[in-house]
Amino acid sequence: MRDHEPDHPAAGERRLTTREAAELLGVKPETVYAYVSRGQLGSRRAPGSRGSTFDADEVRALARRNRRDGGTNPASAAGQELTVRTRLTLIENDRFSYRGVDAVELAARHTYEEVAEWLWTGELRPDAAFSAPESSVAAARRAVDALPEHAGPADRLRVAAIAAAVTDPLRFDLSEDAVLGTARILIPTLVAALPPVLRDGHDQDPIAHRLWTRLSGQEPDEPTLEALDTALGLLVDHDLAASTLAVRVAASARAHAYAAVSAGLGVIEGPLHGAAGGLAHRMLLEVLDLGSAGPVVAEELRAGRRIPGLGHRLYPGEDPRARALFALLEEVPRAAPALAAARDVQVTAARHTPLHANVDLALAVLTVSSGMASTAAETIFAVARTAGWIAHALEEYGERPLRMRPSGLYAGPRPPRPLPE
């Protein structure tokens, strides 16, 4: 069962009226509803009344943020980050959790499929497995096969998602059970639609095994497959990243799950998001080719570029996902050269700016040591994050429609102006 707020306040809980919330925030009542429309404040209809009520703790937290940011009016707070309530992922103190459970421990002890089920439902389903009907897979493969050879991972996955949607006449059913059914079909369809590099896997294989055959021509071993499966679990969700926000906007407009995932795939293709692992991959290959990170790091700094795979704005210290993956890759003998190259990059870059490795650098070690293409990290990221996007879409379907509708701050010439000649 998905978590929902109770329909009635718990015993002793007192919710605020619109007037009380406005007084606490120091704004007009209409501004309170502006906060609600921007996802910065949640509201609930009072039983037997047409008025809305508000959680007192949430209102106080928003008031503190407004005081800290130096403004109270959401319409005038240009640049203020959108906040969206979620019960999925919490990031704090260089750790992150899925529904309150340490995400690193969860991904280490459970398969990607089990982690996805936990994020979707709040229940652990041992031996969870995903399979897709042949009609969905066949349509997705035909669509992907029609793309030119140079098509990237996001291109292929987005086309596969659209093709799979067309085969599903019930895709507009946004009930929780229907969306979960879509998720369990869509993820294996996306993987099956990718051209195999090794022999084709079996439908009964775990997603990590099936994905390996699409990414590497090397025979897998258990430690490497474990690292790939753990990477998928660690990448399932990471708060409100740009692609996740796009998914929630689509879901807010009541786009079906296939379309919401397609929105996420469109954003992930940007060089500042999904492509980061590929940049780190190419950097490690260059370090291995030259035998030293010194000239590679120097060239990046000379060009004014960030060193790929280092630093993360949500983790002042070490990215826990990178730490977990590095520990697993240390058990893989063929990963030793790439691991050494990654450490060389860290040590060399630290002379300029002391930054910790992030998950992109750890993914690059996995993809380089497994003989994968530089685009493999983006594929791993996209397949993994599809589960998180579905979880966020499910949350958004339970909210008021079209709430993700900010207002533009017009900066053009003021009317009236004469018609152009």
Side-chain angles (χ1 to χ4, degrees):
M1 287 281 293
R2 196 162 109 239
D3 292 337
H4 289 285
E5 288 190 14
D7 292 331
H8 302 285
E13 176 188 2
R14 203 185 82 71
R15 295 178 63 83
L16 303 179
T17 65
T18 303
R19 181 180 58 78
E20 291 170 332
E23 289 176 356
L24 189 55
L25 290 164
V27 298
K28 296 178 181 179
E30 53 265 32
T31 304
V32 174
Y33 290 107
Y35 282 123
V36 173
S37 70
R38 287 163 176 77
Q40 294 174 280
L41 193 63
S43 67
R44 195 165 66 210
R45 188 63 54 83
S49 168
R50 297 182 62 185
S52 296
T53 64
F54 303 86
D55 182 273
D57 289 338
E58 191 177 10
V59 173
R60 282 191 287 268
L62 179 58
R64 286 194 297 271
R65 285 201 304 274
N66 282 339
R67 288 194 295 271
R68 182 190 66 209
D69 296 338
T72 58
N73 187 346
S76 64
Q80 180 173 324
E81 291 188 0
L82 177 72
T83 55
V84 176
R85 291 182 305 162
T86 176
R87 294 179 176 87
L88 301 176
T89 300
L90 174 66
I91 302 172
E92 62 180 6
N93 302 323
D94 289 339
R95 299 171 69 91
F96 76 118
S97 60
Y98 296 150
R99 290 186 180 272
V101 173
D102 185 276
V104 172
E105 290 186 18
L106 190 68
R109 298 183 185 184
H110 296 280
T111 66
Y112 165 67
E113 291 89 330
E114 291 168 345
V115 172
E117 291 285 353
W118 171 256
L119 198 68
W120 294 336
T121 67
E123 295 178 355
L124 199 58
R125 294 182 61 204
D127 302 319
F130 301 157
S131 61
E134 181 54 36
S135 58
S136 175
V137 172
R141 281 178 173 167
R142 282 196 301 271
V144 169
D145 288 346
L147 295 174
E149 261 187 54
H150 64 266
D155 297 320
R156 292 190 171 101
L157 293 172
R158 194 162 60 248
V159 166
I162 295 168
V166 175
T167 68
D168 184 358
L170 303 180
R171 61 188 179 276
F172 295 103
D173 183 351
L174 303 185
S175 64
E176 183 174 341
D177 286 345
V179 173
L180 289 175
T182 295
R184 295 174 185 129
I185 288 173
L186 178 57
I187 291 172
T189 297
L190 294 179
V191 175
L194 297 172
V197 180
L198 202 60
R199 67 185 185 281
D200 209 348
H202 300 291
D203 290 344
Q204 295 77 28
D205 289 339
I207 290 293
H209 294 214
R210 283 179 260 177
L211 184 58
W212 177 277
T213 67
R214 264 72 187 162
L215 299 177
S216 176
Q218 298 179 3
E219 287 293 335
D221 53 45
E222 281 305 314
T224 314
L225 282 175
E226 181 184 357
L228 177 57
D229 186 63
T230 301
L232 290 169
L234 292 170
L235 292 168
V236 161
D237 190 42
H238 207 238
D239 194 40
L240 216 63
S243 56
T244 305
L245 178 58
V247 168
R248 292 197 76 128
V249 170
S252 177
R254 296 304 181 255
H256 55 70
Y258 298 94
V261 167
S262 184
L265 288 167
V267 174
I268 208 174
E269 197 171 12
L272 301 182
H273 195 3
L279 297 175
H281 178 108
R282 288 188 284 273
M283 177 186 67
L284 288 188
L285 287 180
E286 196 172 352
V287 172
L288 289 168
D289 184 52
L290 295 176
S292 171
V296 178
V297 171
E299 182 58 33
E300 294 293 325
L301 296 175
R302 187 180 297 116
R305 294 189 293 262
R306 289 181 55 190
I307 311 300
L310 297 182
H312 196 292
R313 72 182 188 91
L314 296 181
Y315 298 113
E318 190 176 13
D319 184 336
R321 301 169 299 175
R323 183 172 60 245
L325 281 180
F326 281 140
L328 287 174
L329 290 166
E330 285 171 0
E331 303 301 317
V332 179
R334 63 184 173 195
L339 274 170
R343 293 193 188 100
D344 193 8
V345 168
Q346 288 179 264
V347 171
T348 304
R351 301 174 198 164
H352 171 72
T353 305
L355 293 174
H356 295 280
N358 62 36
V359 73
D360 297 314
L361 190 60
L363 269 181
V365 172
L366 172 61
T367 56
V368 167
S369 61
S370 301
M372 297 177 183
S374 61
T375 55
E378 185 177 352
T379 305
I380 295 168
F381 190 101
V383 170
R385 193 56 58 87
T386 297
W389 293 335
I390 294 288
H392 280 273
L394 274 169
E395 276 201 331
E396 198 57 42
Y397 291 146
E399 298 285 354
R400 180 174 55 80
L402 292 175
R403 71 188 185 113
M404 312 286 280
R405 173 63 171 86
S407 297
L409 187 63
Y410 181 71
R414 298 295 304 174
R417 297 182 71 197
L419 288 172
E421 295 183 4

